[in-house]
Amino acid sequence: MSGELSPQAAPSEQGYEGALRPSTLAEFVGQSKVRSQLGLLLDAATMRQHTPDHILLAGPPGLGKTTLSMIVAAELDKPLHQTSGPAIQHAGDLAAVLSALTPGEVLFVDEIHRMARSAEEMLYLAMEDFKVDIMVGKGAGATSVPLELAPFTLVGATTRAGLLPNPLRDRFGFTAHLEFYSDDELASVVRRAARLLDFGISEQGVEEIARRSRGTPRIANRLLRRVRDYSLVHETPGDTESVHAALALYDVDEHGLDRLDREVLRAVVERFSGGPVGLSTLAVSVGEEAETIEAVVEPFLVRAGLLTRTPRGRVATRLGWEHVGIVPPGAAGG
Ligand code: ATP
């Protein structure tokens, strides 16, 4: 997968992402249902002067989970502590974080499904009663010492809600499932980012970027930055031609497919007669990790209606055949 269409953030992008993040719910584009639900939860908590229920944000990367956690803290006017599941490998790691929280603080745990099991159990009690039991000593002499915590709001984010154990999932009072964005919503994201970056871009240019961004604001913002680079270096206006030229340079086609997406689709159609073909066979045939195909390429191709997953393997749809420029068998002559 070329970097341009990866839904994950590259470390070097974090500065840009920070600058483009909406800081209030009102500025957050799209996800209208989630916005209203979250807004109500936060307003009620503020009026009661009480911490809101713990919040779980579920959805694919790049749709705004980190941004929403920052908005929750800002709307509650409380500090935010950010950590992630992989950083919590022992119960002690979590105890250290929890015991340092100030009253009302928002704790954001990204990739919460990757937290160690022992820490998860500690978290249950912390979420419910704002308490933890710390084990002191080892072996037969070990004793558990209860420790009171300041009330806090946990905002957990996960790309794999199905991997969370039920007892953890049940302790979140509110779960938001983030959906991919429509082209119109992405156009609003691009317009807003262009304004913040002080980059003049035509309305057609905005719409073209939105169409190629795979329903993901992170990708939309990144493609906009590539177009801005192109316009600067080639001294061209931010119009449709610049968008076409810049995105062609990065191998992003008119449907938002990149080189690997096209190779996978072409392999299914040309080498396996449209499928069904198994994931590992497909991965070998394009020389890529099965995991990358499964996590990044397939979801998009399926969503775009180019590929389907069946119990017997991956199958190209009629649209998929057409996308690689081949008439599907049986379709010739109508
Ligand atoms: P990951 O799980 O990979 O960390 P994420 O879901 O937390 O991804 P964010 O980091 O919140 O995604 O968002 C990525 C980028 O997209 C940010 O630059 C943010 O400004 C922008 N963005 C996300 N959602 C929106 C939105 N609704 N409106 C405007 N910009 C958005």
Side-chain angles (χ1 to χ4, degrees):
M1 166 86 9
S2 76
E4 304 317 305
L5 290 176
S6 165
Q8 324 275 5
S12 60
E13 284 186 309
Q14 278 158 11
Y16 280 112
E17 293 217 325
L20 297 180
R21 271 183 216 287
S23 53
T24 60
L25 267 184
E27 268 183 85
F28 192 83
V29 176
Q31 312 289 347
S32 58
K33 189 102 185 227
V34 167
R35 252 187 314 136
S36 329
Q37 293 170 337
L38 201 53
L40 183 66
L41 189 84
L42 298 178
D43 286 347
T46 307
M47 288 168 78
R48 282 198 197 101
Q49 298 189 304
H50 203 278
T51 52
D53 279 355
H54 301 298
I55 299 164
L56 181 64
L57 305 173
L63 299 194
K65 297 184 292 300
T66 306
T67 306
L68 277 178
S69 76
M70 293 177 176
I71 290 177
V72 167
E75 300 267 344
L76 293 172
D77 198 17
K78 294 289 178 194
L80 175 73
H81 182 96
Q82 289 183 274
T83 184
S84 72
I88 301 176
Q89 282 314 306
H90 306 279
D93 298 336
L94 182 65
V97 170
L98 292 173
S99 57
L101 294 175
T102 55
E105 192 159 349
V106 176
L107 171 63
F108 177 57
V109 183
D110 202 4
E111 297 187 85
I112 194 165
H113 58 277
R114 294 180 60 195
M115 199 166 59
R117 217 3 88 83
S118 57
E120 239 164 52
E121 277 158 21
M122 173 179 277
L123 192 56
Y124 299 160
L125 186 63
M127 289 170 81
E128 220 155 70
D129 295 333
F130 301 120
K131 260 194 235 153
V132 286
D133 285 327
I134 310 270
M135 291 305 286
V136 181
K138 280 198 172 147
T143 47
S144 106
V145 179
L147 178 71
E148 294 278 335
L149 303 172
F152 65 96
T153 304
L154 176 67
V155 180
T158 181
T159 47
R160 315 278 301 272
L163 290 186
L164 283 190
N166 284 336
L168 180 55
R169 210 171 338 165
D170 294 346
R171 282 171 170 83
F172 287 99
F174 172 61
T175 298
H177 291 278
L178 300 190
E179 308 287 342
F180 284 107
Y181 291 65
S182 68
D183 287 355
D184 280 350
E185 290 167 342
L186 285 178
S188 304
V189 170
V190 174
R191 251 179 247 119
R192 176 179 175 277
R195 208 174 44 244
L196 292 173
L197 293 171
D198 198 17
F199 173 51
I201 178 165
S202 71
E203 191 46 33
Q204 286 100 318
V206 166
E207 286 165 14
E208 192 64 43
I209 292 179
R211 252 196 307 280
R212 300 187 190 203
S213 300
R214 297 169 167 247
T216 307
R218 169 172 289 137
I219 297 178
N221 283 346
R222 186 186 294 136
L223 295 185
L224 174 69
R225 296 202 306 274
R226 292 297 82 81
V227 173
R228 185 176 70 136
D229 293 347
Y230 186 93
S231 292
L232 174 72
V233 172
H234 294 275
E235 296 179 14
T236 56
D239 57 9
T240 326
E241 280 78 63
S242 297
V243 174
H244 285 168
L247 300 189
L249 194 62
Y250 288 98
D251 265 343
V252 178
D253 78 11
E254 68 279 14
H255 297 285
L257 270 66
D258 75 355
R259 185 195 49 79
L260 182 59
D261 300 318
R262 287 192 295 273
E263 263 181 42
V264 168
L265 199 55
R266 193 166 277 284
V268 177
V269 169
E270 289 182 350
R271 289 185 221 152
F272 304 100
S273 316
V277 51
L279 175 64
S280 46
T281 312
L282 186 57
V284 170
S285 91
V286 296
E288 188 52 75
E289 303 274 335
E291 216 176 287
T292 308
I293 310 267
E294 192 174 29
V296 185
V297 176
E298 262 184 16
F300 175 64
L301 293 181
V302 169
R303 214 168 61 84
L306 301 168
L307 194 76
T308 53
R309 274 201 258 216
T310 72
R312 287 164 54 232
R314 281 65 184 162
V315 178
T317 63
R318 188 178 54 78
L319 217 61
W321 282 78
E322 285 169 8
H323 194 81
V324 296
I326 301 180
V327 179

